Amino acid sequence: MRTAVALGSNLGDRLGNLCAARKAILALSTVKPPILSSAIYETEPVDCEPGAEKFLNAVVEFDYQGDPATLLEQLIRIEEALGRKRDHPKNVSRPIDIDLLYCGDCSSEGERLQLPHPRLHLRKFVLQPLADIHPDLILPGQRKTARQLLTEFEIPPDLVRSKYNW
């Protein structure tokens, strides 16, 4: 099933963190081509501590063969291997953040796993890279495509496509 994750980093080697996370995800035995990777965007921190550095954000979509809960656990292990601490306050700066956005048509509203991601449609820093690779995607529970949802954001008018590339 087509599955997507959002990657974000605002501590340390931001590009290195994104690349390492992408490489580790694509190395999972249950992840298969085709692989679609968005551009990398440099974004202002949202709801982070005062003085937080800018994030690099991207979305990667792939075919996944397995249980979404298992994938979530694997993503958490990748975050931890890349320096993310599990006992941190919510929305603080971090070397890597990996969010499972959707896993096919799966819907889940558990405490640990929520699919599709409950705030995906509210986050321009996720919608812009998602619209790069899958502009006509309509997620479960939504009526509009990723591109249409993106047009509803007025401020800021554009995310800055970063100088960084995969």
Side-chain angles (χ1 to χ4, degrees):
M1 69 189 113
R2 293 304 288 172
T3 299
V5 295
L7 306 175
S9 175
N10 80 327
L11 285 180
D13 178 2
R14 301 176 303 162
L15 179 61
N17 295 337
L18 289 188
C19 290
R22 180 177 174 268
K23 182 178 179 182
I25 292 165
L26 299 183
L28 296 172
S29 64
T30 50
V31 170
K32 305 292 181 196
I35 310 299
L36 300 175
S37 298
S38 73
I40 298 171
Y41 290 85
E42 188 164 50
T43 65
E44 294 294 331
V46 175
D47 297 330
C48 282
E49 74 278 8
E53 297 295 324
K54 291 182 179 182
F55 275 81
L56 289 184
N57 293 100
V59 169
V60 178
E61 186 187 67
F62 46 84
D63 273 338
Y64 175 71
Q65 300 171 348
D67 175 57
T70 301
L71 178 58
L72 178 63
E73 292 305 316
Q74 292 171 317
L75 297 175
I76 289 169
R77 284 196 296 275
I78 291 169
E79 285 181 327
E80 290 171 343
L82 294 174
R84 172 102 185 242
K85 306 288 185 225
R86 300 308 324 157
D87 59 352
H88 60 80
K90 190 172 181 165
N91 296 329
V92 296
S93 294
R94 48 211 174 267
I96 193 66
D97 184 34
I98 305 172
D99 287 333
L100 182 55
L101 300 178
Y102 56 85
C103 214
D105 291 335
C106 293
S107 290
S108 175
E109 293 193 28
E111 183 177 322
R112 193 146 166 96
L113 177 63
Q114 298 176 357
L115 289 174
H117 191 288
R119 291 174 303 285
L120 185 160
H121 65 287
L122 303 174
R123 294 177 165 176
K124 187 171 184 179
F125 62 88
V126 175
L127 281 173
Q128 179 66 65
L130 180 59
D132 282 356
I133 60 173
H134 211 323
D136 297 322
L137 175 70
I138 299 175
L139 293 166
Q142 295 293 323
R143 294 183 187 172
K144 297 180 180 180
T145 66
R147 182 181 330 153
Q148 290 168 328
L149 289 168
L150 183 60
T151 64
E152 295 177 3
F153 287 89
E154 294 179 23
I155 301 173
D158 272 319
L159 293 181
V160 177
R161 186 175 246 173
S162 122
K163 62 184 177 195
Y164 304 107
N165 292 306
W166 293 108

